[in-house]
């Protein structure tokens, strides 16, 4: 039995004095914030182990209860006769700017069980079942039930493999199928949210407030369910020097929980609903080699995973989900794909503009983007937009190297991905008082100067429509870590009076090889609108350290 209780309390008070320019002439500005949250946890687990000859059983059952609660209040006020009042006397303020408060809670209950069985360490079975209940869903939809099963066959334990044990040290065939649930949404999303102030109506000099619904809700939202199946083989070969794992997987997520623009606007918000089903397929592998030659030992391993994402089904009669200006989710395509026009080039002169026989709703001039008429109707319209890329990578990989010679050791680690695109929103001209990005130097500024980047003119907004012009290759390779160490020999340690002493230098995120010019190629975002670089992604820092470790 395990029980836990966590509580956090924050009192955050700030005051900007009457003379401080940050106060914007408000004669003293106060913010008083009181936040509190706590959680409770109760877990009970019962385990059982037993062997009957060659039969081995390992089983467990468990129950888990978790409760989360948080509340807060924020008050902002300004206009004080003296700085001495600060936040100690809000009544001294001439104006209370705003008062807000909230309280929310949620509960998660889980009951689960697992049984592991093996016969002679040769035939393996694992079966699990769990029931999860979440208060984030309506009472009729709170429970989800998720089974799984895994099978394994250790081929090297068979008699017919006895003559091959030097070449094949270990070989196992494995497969599994299972389901998991996801309730990672906000609290009370199945209930309409009411704005208590709402719209104002004045009747006979009195002001009345009409509450309004903040967003449309789906009262039937329920667990998102991920079902997965995989099959693979693990092996160790050549006197334990070569190890390899390879497998094929398919994962289908149905009843995907996502924010979707409501078909009928109610208020100004969005609804969360079970939007449809998506499938991920691919191959995963790990291959490693370790060996020793005298005092020199080394190891190298490579891992990789391919990804094929496809939308199988969408709610509301499979209607496309349009997210913002750049993304569209449609059956048969990757989720959250980029959707826009296809660029054919840049108009270099007036002759090219006149020769362009496509009807547009804007005026084309030299330096503008020439868009492709995909449906060949002689016009450039919304019908000429298409799926132009995806923020999801096709292939993710890693490489690890390590070497040691006498007291020296060395290791390095690479990671990367390829096949995804980044939409560079920073290319759109801004009126903000910032320097332009360096890529602006490649713009069209006269005939022949560029056939890719348009003229720098924010008034020609048609050059900054969602199109292939804004897309960049998101592939990258990063040297994530690099370490060199030296451990002193035992003879020297006796003089120093220690058992071990090692010096090392280490570097993290050393260098990234990539094609896009952003701060980092790892651009986040939601599942329906990812991969947009607007300059808000913080660059990943490189860290260099040196130190020593020792034992007495």
């Amino acid at each position: 039995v395990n029980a836990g209780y966590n509580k956090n309390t924050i009192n955050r008070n700030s005051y900007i004095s009457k003379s401080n320019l940050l106060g914007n002439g408000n004669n003293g500005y106060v913010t008083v914030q009181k936040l509190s949250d706590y959680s409770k946890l109760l877990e009970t687990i019962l385990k059982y182990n037993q062997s009957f000859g060659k039969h081995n059983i390992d089983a467990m059952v468990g129950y888990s209860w978790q409760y989360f609660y948080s509340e807060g209040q924020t008050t902002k006020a300004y206009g004080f006769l003296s700085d001495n009042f600060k936040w100690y006397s809000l009544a001294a303020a001439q104006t209370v700017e705003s008062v807000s408060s909230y309280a929310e809670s949620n509960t998660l209950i889980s009951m689960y069980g697992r049984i592991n069985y093996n016969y002679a360490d040769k035939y393996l079975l694992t079966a699990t079942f769990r029931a999860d209940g979440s208060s984030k869903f309506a009472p009729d939809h709170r429970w989800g039930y998720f089974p799984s099963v895994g099978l394994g066959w250790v081929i090297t334990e068979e008699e017919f493999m006895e003559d091959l044990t030097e070449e094949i040290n270990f070989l196992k065939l494995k497969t599994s199928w299972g389901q998991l649930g996801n309730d990672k949404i906000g609290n009370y999303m199945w209930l309409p949210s009411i704005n208590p102030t709402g719209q104002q109506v004045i009747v006979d000099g009195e002001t009345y407030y009409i509450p309004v619904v903040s967003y449309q809700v789906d009262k039937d939202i329920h667990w998102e369910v991920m079902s997965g199946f995989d099959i693979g083989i693990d092996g160790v070969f050549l006197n334990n020097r070569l190890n390899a794992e390879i497998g094929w997987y398919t994962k289908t997520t149905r009843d995907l929980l996502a924010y979707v623009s409501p078909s009928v606007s109610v208020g100004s918000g969005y609804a969360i609903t079970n939007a449809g089903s998506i499938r991920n397929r691919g191959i995963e592998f790990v291959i490693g080699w370790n060996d020793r030659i005298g005092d020199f030992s080394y190891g190298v391993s490579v891992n990789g995973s391919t990804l094929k994402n496809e939308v199988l089904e969408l709610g509301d009669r499979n209607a496309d989900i349009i997210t913002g200006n750049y993304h569209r989710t449609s059956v048969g395509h990757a989720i959250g794909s980029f959707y826009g026009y296809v660029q054919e080039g840049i108009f270099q002169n007036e002759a090219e503009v006149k020769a362009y026989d496509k009807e547009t709703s804007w005026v084309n001039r030299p330096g503008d983007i020439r868009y492709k008429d995909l449906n060949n109707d002689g016009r450039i319209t919304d019908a000429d937009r298409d799926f132009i890329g995806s923020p999801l990578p096709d292939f993710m990989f890693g490489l690890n190297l390590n070497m040691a010679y006498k007291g020296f050791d060395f290791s390095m680690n690479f990671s990367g991905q390829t096949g995804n695109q980044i939409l560079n929103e920073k290319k759109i001209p801004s009126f903000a008082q910032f320097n332009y990005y360096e890529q602006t130097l490649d713009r069209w500024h006269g005939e022949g100067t560029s056939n890719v980047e348009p003229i720098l003119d924010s008034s020609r907004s048609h050059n900054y429509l969602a199109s292939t012009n804004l897309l960049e290759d998101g592939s990258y390779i990063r040297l994530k870590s690099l370490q060199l160490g030296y451990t002193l020999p035992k003879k020297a340690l006796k003089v120093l009076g220690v058992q071990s002493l090692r010096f090392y230098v280490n570097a993290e995120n050393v260098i990234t090889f990539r094609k896009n010019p952003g701060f980092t190629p790892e651009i986040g975002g939601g599942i329906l609108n990812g991969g947009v670089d607007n300059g808000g992604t913080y660059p990943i820092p490189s860290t260099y350290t040196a130190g020593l470790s020792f034992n007495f």
Side-chain angles (χ1 to χ4, degrees), residues 90-297:
L90 293 176
Q94 295 177 355
T95 303
V96 176
E97 182 180 80
S98 65
V99 177
S100 61
S101 60
Y102 72 92
E104 60 181 358
S105 65
N106 70 78
T107 303
L108 178 64
I109 296 176
S110 300
M111 293 172 282
Y112 43 88
R114 182 186 67 224
I115 182 170
N116 294 320
Y117 167 80
N118 81 73
Y119 176 77
D121 294 325
K122 185 187 307 183
Y123 308 114
L124 314 175
L125 166 69
T126 298
T128 68
F129 183 83
R130 60 182 300 128
D132 296 314
S134 174
S135 65
K136 293 183 177 181
F137 305 116
D140 293 339
H141 302 286
R142 286 182 173 168
W143 284 94
Y145 305 95
F146 311 108
S148 70
V149 61
L151 299 173
W153 175 30
V154 183
I155 303 174
T156 43
E157 292 295 323
E158 299 288 355
E159 292 183 2
F160 60 80
M161 293 292 294
E162 290 181 354
D163 296 335
L164 299 173
T165 53
E166 291 187 7
E167 295 81 7
I168 304 176
N169 309 116
F170 177 81
L171 190 64
K172 181 174 75 171
L173 181 66
K174 58 183 181 179
T175 184
S176 66
W177 172 89
Q179 293 184 331
L180 287 175
N182 174 34
D183 71 335
K184 299 299 186 289
I185 59 174
N187 298 319
Y188 319 118
M189 299 300 294
W190 57 278
L191 289 172
S193 177
I194 304 297
N195 182 349
T197 57
Q199 299 178 354
Q200 300 179 21
V201 177
I202 300 176
V203 179
D204 296 331
E206 294 291 332
T207 301
Y208 298 91
Y209 294 96
I210 303 175
V212 296
V213 179
S214 296
Y215 50 78
Q216 184 179 350
V217 300
D218 179 0
K219 294 183 179 181
D220 295 323
I221 55 174
H222 49 271
W223 285 88
E224 174 184 300
V225 181
M226 190 280 286
S227 300
F229 172 79
D230 63 78
I231 184 169
I233 190 165
D234 299 350
V236 181
F237 311 92
L238 304 178
N239 292 324
N240 298 311
R241 288 179 295 176
L242 175 65
N243 61 85
E245 298 179 30
I246 185 168
W248 176 85
Y249 72 91
T250 177
K251 298 178 181 178
T252 301
T253 301
R254 57 180 175 86
D255 298 330
L256 176 72
L257 289 168
Y259 289 91
V260 179
S261 300
S263 56
V264 179
S265 180
V266 180
S268 59
Y270 291 90
I272 191 166
T273 185
N274 296 101
S277 301
I278 61 173
R279 181 177 62 202
N280 294 317
R281 285 181 172 178
I283 296 173
E284 298 177 322
F285 66 88
V286 179
I287 301 175
W289 176 270
N290 295 276
D291 199 5
R292 173 180 290 275
I293 304 173
D295 293 331
F296 177 72
S297 62

Side-chain angles (χ1 to χ4, degrees), residues 462-537:
H462 54 275
N463 286 325
Y464 307 104
L465 299 171
S467 74
T468 53
N469 176 265
L470 298 180
L471 289 188
E472 297 172 345
D473 189 344
S475 303
Y476 73 90
I477 301 175
R478 172 174 291 145
L479 177 53
K480 292 195 65 175
S481 64
L482 186 67
Q483 186 173 102
L484 176 64
Y486 177 71
T487 302
L488 266 67
K490 293 183 179 181
K491 292 182 180 180
L493 296 178
K494 291 182 180 180
V495 178
L496 298 175
V498 296
Q499 291 181 333
S500 65
L501 179 61
R502 177 176 179 267
F503 299 93
Y504 67 89
V505 290
N506 185 73
E508 302 287 340
N509 300 317
V510 183
I511 188 173
T512 301
F513 303 94
R514 37 82 180 274
K515 294 182 178 180
N516 76 300
F519 293 139
T520 173
E522 296 174 288
I523 306 298
I527 190 171
L528 298 178
N529 60 349
V532 176
D533 185 1
N534 56 13
T537 302

